[in-house]
Amino acid sequence: MFSMPPANGSKPAAPAAAGAADVVKDTTDRAFMADVIEASRDVPVIVDFWAPWCGPCKQLGPIIEKAVRAAKGAVRLVKIDTDANPMIASQLRVQSIPAVYAFFQGRPVDGFMGAVPESQVKAFVDKLVALAKQAGVGGDDMLDEAFAQAKEMMEGGDLQGALDLYSQILQAEPENVQAYAGIVRCLIAAGDLENAKQMLAQAPEAIAKDKELANVRAALDVAEQAANAGPIPELMEKVAHDPNDHASRFDLAMALFAAGKREAAVDELLEIFKRDRSWNDDGARKQLVKFFEAFGHTDPLTVKTRRRLSTMMFS
């Protein structure tokens, strides 16, 4: 079942599976090597040793999580309950908790004991971010990887997987316009136009007027248009019977768009323009412009279609 992200103002819950944007997680003695030592070869990993009975741990934990999330993927946080997992704490000679260690490139590089002020935690995280940058490692690469993975999921039809990953990114960066737009595009692709409209209406003020969301609004407008198009086989039959039935060809283009056949939809509109560019008050060209806004102006199909349209206009 396709699940909606929470409404604006509440953070989306991260899925159980770890992803490229999953910057805070719990671990065990058994998983410590993979979650900390191996993971730290790519990005600094902070380890928070805590226990359920420890009052100072409960004070420090949220402060570290806040600082790590603010670093936007440049560092990760791994939490380990020393009551349930005493082995690693013993090996590192942890004598009291909370105890915090930082690992980078497979070895411990820094740490502190006890509940310290938020300013000190922030300075600790900032120092690790700087250390990673000096080594040529940063959070942007991780974020780019997450977006690429989410886009690949969408294109492969795994809309729920893409939604989960975009939601993880938004959890770390509540005003990340690319993640916000990605969630709305998932909803549009799933045909959930009402919730897509609601998400756009609730966009944070800082990103509400961003060009990326303008493109998504255009995509929603086109999707709403396409929702009223007739069945593809019937429309194809009408166009085959009368190639100059531009109204049926236009409806066919919208039905193809609704079915995810973007290039075929573009071809039908170009065919109308080729046969009668003035039809319906330049309707084919105007609809292509809406498609360009929906796809995004740097989308390969937009670039290709603009070139084809220009050739037709000036031939």
Side-chain angles (χ1 to χ4, degrees):
M1 181 178 177
F2 194 83
S3 60
M4 259 288 291
N8 186 42
S10 62
K11 291 183 178 180
D22 197 7
V23 295
V24 178
K25 68 182 299 184
D26 293 303
T27 195
T28 63
D29 284 337
R30 179 175 293 182
F32 187 85
M33 182 62 69
D35 289 344
V36 178
I37 304 302
E38 294 302 323
S40 75
R41 300 192 189 283
D42 298 321
V43 64
V45 177
I46 298 171
V47 184
D48 176 17
F49 291 95
W50 69 287
W53 49 264
C54 172
C57 298
K58 295 177 182 178
Q59 296 174 5
L60 181 65
I63 294 173
I64 300 178
E65 287 192 29
K66 178 182 176 183
V68 167
R69 294 193 189 283
K72 301 179 181 179
V75 297
R76 292 183 183 180
L77 172 63
V78 171
K79 302 170 70 68
I80 185 164
D81 177 353
T82 57
D83 281 359
N85 302 277
M87 185 181 74
I88 297 297
S90 176
Q91 288 178 354
L92 291 175
R93 298 180 182 177
V94 174
Q95 296 180 348
S96 64
I97 54 174
V100 176
Y101 284 75
F103 288 77
F104 186 47
Q105 297 181 333
R107 60 186 181 83
V109 293
D110 204 350
F112 62 85
M113 300 286 181
V116 300
E118 184 170 356
S119 58
Q120 188 172 329
V121 172
K122 184 179 182 304
F124 178 77
V125 172
D126 288 346
K127 182 179 176 182
L128 292 173
V129 172
L131 180 65
K133 285 182 178 178
Q134 287 175 4
V137 177
D140 288 345
D141 290 342
M142 293 175 60
L143 206 55
D144 289 344
E145 181 185 339
F147 281 126
Q149 185 181 350
K151 183 180 179 183
E152 186 177 332
M153 286 176 172
M154 272 198 71
E155 292 174 350
D158 183 6
L159 298 180
Q160 185 64 60
L163 179 74
D164 288 344
L165 192 46
Y166 283 129
S167 296
Q168 287 181 0
I169 297 170
L170 204 64
Q171 184 180 28
E173 289 189 52
E175 293 181 350
N176 187 299
V177 67
Q178 193 174 346
Y180 202 95
I183 289 174
V184 180
R185 287 191 185 277
C186 286
L187 295 172
I188 293 172
D192 193 351
L193 304 187
E194 284 304 313
N195 277 321
K197 190 181 297 185
Q198 181 183 353
M199 281 283 292
L200 283 172
Q202 295 178 342
E205 186 177 352
I207 63 173
K209 296 181 180 180
D210 191 276
K211 188 175 181 180
E212 182 75 19
L213 287 192
N215 290 342
V216 176
R217 287 188 184 92
L220 178 59
D221 289 343
V222 173
E224 288 179 324
Q225 276 183 280
N228 299 318
I232 291 175
E234 181 180 315
L235 291 168
M236 290 182 74
E237 188 175 340
K238 286 183 177 181
V239 169
H241 179 71
D242 180 4
N244 289 317
D245 181 356
H246 301 321
S248 293
R249 192 182 293 277
F250 185 92
D251 287 345
L252 174 59
M254 300 310 297
L256 288 167
F257 178 89
K261 302 179 185 298
R262 300 191 316 163
E263 192 156 3
V266 161
D267 287 343
E268 296 299 340
L269 291 176
L270 286 172
E271 184 64 23
I272 295 173
F273 186 83
K274 179 182 176 181
R275 288 174 177 272
D276 184 359
R277 64 181 62 188
S278 63
W279 174 79
N280 197 24
D281 191 23
D282 200 18
R285 187 192 63 80
K286 289 177 179 176
Q287 189 62 45
L288 281 169
V289 171
K290 286 186 179 180
F291 277 7
F292 299 156
E293 292 173 350
F295 300 161
H297 294 290
T298 60
D299 185 279
L301 184 55
T302 297
V303 175
K304 176 183 174 182
T305 307
R306 280 190 184 279
R307 192 179 300 121
R308 292 174 65 190
L309 183 60
S310 296
T311 300
M312 288 182 182
M313 290 176 68
F314 299 108
S315 59

